[in-house]
Each structure stands twice: as C-alpha cells, then as structure tokens.
Amino acid sequence: MKKSLAFYAFLIIVILLTLYSISSTQSLSELLDVLLMADPVYTALAVLLMISFWCWDALIIKYLSQRAGIDSSLANCLRYAMVGSYYNQITPMASGGLPVQVWAMNARGPYGVSDASSILVNKWVVYQSMVTLYGAFFLVFNIPFVMSQSSGIYVWVFIGLLLNLIMMPAIWILAYNAAALLKVMKGIIAVLKWLRLLRWFSPERIEKGISSFVADLNRMQKDWQLIFSVAVMTFGQLTCYLGITYFVYRALGQSGLGFWDIIAIQSILYLAVHFIPTPGNAGASEGAFYILFKNFFPPQLIFAGLLLWRIIIYYFCLVITGMVAFYDHIILPRRYRDGRL
C-alpha cells in the first residue's frame, strides 16, 4: 500500500510539473495565434523532424541492445526513448531521464539493471561528445558566416565552449573511471529505491549488479565499431533536432538562408544551453534564440519564430512523451496484471 501511494504521489508531482511548464511561459491564445499564421507544410516537416529525433534515439537503444545480446523490439525501444525524453524535459540538466529509463527497461523489458545502465550510459557519453563535436565543426568551418551575424553571438560561443570544456572532461572521467561509475550507479539505484521504482536489492546484489555494469561498459568502450556506429546515428539524430529551426524559419515565410546555415547557428545555441540547469533549458533557450536569430527574422516575426520553435521542441514534446510515460506507468502495468501481455 505504501509503495502504491508513493508511486502515485510521484506521478501527481510529475503531472503538476508538466502543467506548470506549459502554462508558466505563454498563454494558450499566443500559441494558437502562432500556429495559425505558420505554413502548415513546413510546420508539419518541423514536427516530423522532432519525431525523427525520437526514432533515432530508439534505433540507438535497439542497436546497443543487439550488440549486448538483448532482443528488444523497436516499438519498446521507442517507448524507452520517449519516456526518457519526457523526464529530461521536466528535470534540471535533463537528470531524470536516465534513472527512469533504467527502471522502465528493467520493469517491463528484457534488461537487467546493469544491462540497461551500461547501454544508456554509453549512449549518453556518445551523445554529449557529439554535441560538442557538432557545434565545434560548424563553428570552425563557418566562422566568417557565424561571426558576421550578431555581436551577441560571441557571448554564446564563449558560454558554450566554456561549459563544454568543464563538462566534457567530467563526462569522459565518468565513462572511463570505474570508481566514479560505481558511485554514480549507487546514486541512481538509491534514487530509484527512494521513488519505490525498484524491488528491494540486498547490498550484495547491488555490488554484483554494479560490477556487471562496469564490465559491460568496459566491453562496449573497447568496441570501436560500436562507438563509430552510434556516433553516426547520433549525428543523424542531432541533425534532425537542430534542423527543426530551418523549417520554423520557412514556415514563417523566410527563405534567405539555407538549411546548413541555420544548422550552423542552431548548433552553437544548443552547444551553449544544453548544460543549463533548468528544466528543458527554459529561459536560456529563449534568450539565446532571440539573440542569435533576430537578424534572420523580420522584427515583427522574431517572437513568432521563437514561439513556434518552442512549441515544437518543448510543448509538443511534453504532451506526446507525457502520454507515452502515462501509458508506460499506468496502462501497461494494468495490461500485465490482467494477463493481456
């Protein structure tokens, strides 16, 4: 009984956070006005890229699972990806996605805790590394274009590079330092147990699971074909996500810049804000978008562009992934209990 009450209390808190995230920034009428003025074809293409971002995430989980000898359907991998995306959107520094994904993969999937953790940590390390490389690539090869657009861009380039210089060594130390990994895994398990999302583990079972996790992660890190393949898929995933801005730009009737020009600016924005410790990078994302893209949109359209972009990457994401999380947490367990699965 206590376990059920704690779990439903946790769900209520999550729902309240979602509603607050949606309602605290813009009125519904403003969001509807922007959607009505935008070209529906380009808006649909932007939404399709957001969906493609989740599909790439699912393909990466599927690929890593296969390489670990675990058979999981693409549909289930998509569910894990979207559940993780939801909790990343509502927690500071996207810290909630990985623990809940571990729980979902373990509770209703063919994964042990150590298997799920090693797969997701590998994916996370490659993703964070690719964000830095992606932004640095476009910065280096598009310096004249990028620097000519806005004086404010220098600040965001500096912030992005500084944050990544601080965070990337920490990420790689975490990836290759067994002692650090053990501490992080114990922390994840402690959070899951506090949320009543895991069955009780004895200390011996925890140590055994963590040792297995470290061994799995070390094996994956020595597989350079695996790392390269995941990096290529992550490049496709990032291109989909960053390319949303181009179709927002076209949806509002603008055509002066090409796809890769917009990607160059957007990659710097993402490089600068993706470590900002607010849920969904709220505040920082909007400010950076306005500064970096105000020269590309007419003055009367810059706020419409910002809103349409935010609707797709944040509000749409919250609603769709929130529905998947509800299915995963409420509907799916009932289907298991009723014997329908």
Side-chain angles (χ1 to χ4, degrees):
M1 182 67 178
K2 288 182 179 180
K3 180 178 179 180
S4 298
L5 288 175
F7 180 68
Y8 284 111
F10 169 69
L11 282 180
I12 290 170
I13 292 171
V14 167
I15 292 169
L16 291 175
L17 282 172
T18 303
L19 294 175
Y20 174 77
S21 298
I22 293 174
S23 63
S24 63
T25 54
Q26 302 294 334
S27 69
L28 182 60
S29 62
E30 288 178 309
L31 301 179
L32 290 175
D33 288 343
V34 170
L35 287 174
L36 289 173
M37 82 161 59
D39 183 289
V41 174
Y42 283 113
T43 301
L45 288 172
V47 170
L48 184 61
L49 284 186
M50 187 69 248
I51 295 170
S52 298
F53 175 84
W54 298 322
C55 291
W56 276 113
D57 212 32
L59 285 171
I60 293 169
I61 294 173
K62 172 77 172 173
Y63 175 75
L64 287 170
S65 299
Q66 287 178 332
R67 293 299 292 262
I70 299 171
D71 184 23
S72 183
S73 71
L74 187 58
N76 281 334
C77 290
L78 182 60
R79 173 166 56 88
Y80 306 142
M82 295 180 77
V83 166
S85 178
Y86 176 70
Y87 284 94
N88 284 338
Q89 292 284 343
I90 65 171
T91 54
M93 293 190 71
S95 57
L98 194 147
V100 179
Q101 278 181 304
V102 170
W103 162 69
M105 293 166 77
N106 173 252
R108 284 175 291 281
Y111 301 86
V113 172
S114 63
D115 298 321
S117 300
S118 60
I119 286 169
L120 294 174
V121 168
N122 264 292
K123 184 172 78 71
W124 177 73
V125 170
V126 173
Y127 183 86
Q128 298 299 338
S129 302
M130 286 300 295
V131 168
T132 302
L133 292 173
Y134 203 108
F137 174 84
F138 281 103
L139 180 60
V140 168
F141 287 96
N142 272 316
I143 283 179
F145 167 75
V146 170
M147 294 304 181
S148 68
Q149 298 307 312
S150 169
S151 59
I153 204 167
Y154 294 98
V155 175
W156 292 101
V157 169
F158 174 77
I159 291 172
L161 292 176
L162 179 63
L163 286 174
N164 281 269
L165 284 173
I166 294 170
M167 295 300 296
M168 285 311 301
I171 288 171
W172 283 99
I173 288 171
L174 173 64
Y176 289 103
N177 186 300
L181 284 172
L182 289 173
K183 291 180 180 179
V184 170
M185 280 305 301
K186 287 180 179 179
I188 290 173
I189 290 173
V191 169
L192 292 174
K193 289 169 72 173
W194 180 76
L195 294 173
R196 308 277 183 164
L197 297 178
L198 278 183
R199 298 181 296 276
W200 179 256
F201 283 92
S202 67
E204 294 79 14
R205 191 174 178 186
I206 291 174
E207 292 294 337
K208 182 179 179 181
I210 291 174
S211 297
S212 175
F213 162 74
V214 172
D216 289 342
L217 194 58
N218 288 336
R219 174 182 53 78
M220 287 186 176
Q221 288 167 351
K222 294 174 182 177
D223 188 342
W224 289 103
Q225 182 184 355
L226 179 147
I227 293 172
F228 177 77
S229 299
V230 174
V232 170
M233 287 188 280
T234 303
F235 178 86
Q237 182 183 23
L238 283 171
T239 301
C240 287
Y241 185 76
L242 301 177
I244 290 169
T245 308
Y246 173 75
F247 290 103
V248 167
Y249 175 75
R250 294 302 304 273
L252 295 177
Q254 307 307 300
S255 59
L257 295 176
F259 180 79
W260 294 107
D261 293 327
I262 295 290
I263 286 277
I265 301 295
Q266 183 63 44
S267 64
I268 292 170
L269 188 158
Y270 193 52
L271 185 70
V273 304
H274 83 290
F275 282 129
I276 298 296
T278 59
N281 305 129
S285 289
E286 291 87 344
F289 186 97
Y290 177 79
I291 291 171
L292 297 182
F293 286 100
K294 65 182 180 180
N295 287 352
F296 303 148
F297 290 89
Q300 70 273 19
L301 289 180
I302 179 60
F303 284 107
L306 191 160
L307 273 180
L308 182 57
W309 173 71
R310 198 65 175 159
I311 286 169
I312 294 168
I313 69 153
Y314 191 58
Y315 302 122
F316 172 75
C317 183
L318 272 181
V319 171
I320 300 302
T321 59
M323 291 168 59
V324 174
F326 179 82
Y327 172 80
D328 182 81
H329 300 348
I330 303 297
I331 306 300
L332 204 54
R334 290 180 178 176
R335 296 182 69 186
Y336 272 99
R337 286 197 300 268
D338 296 343
R340 286 180 285 166
L341 287 175

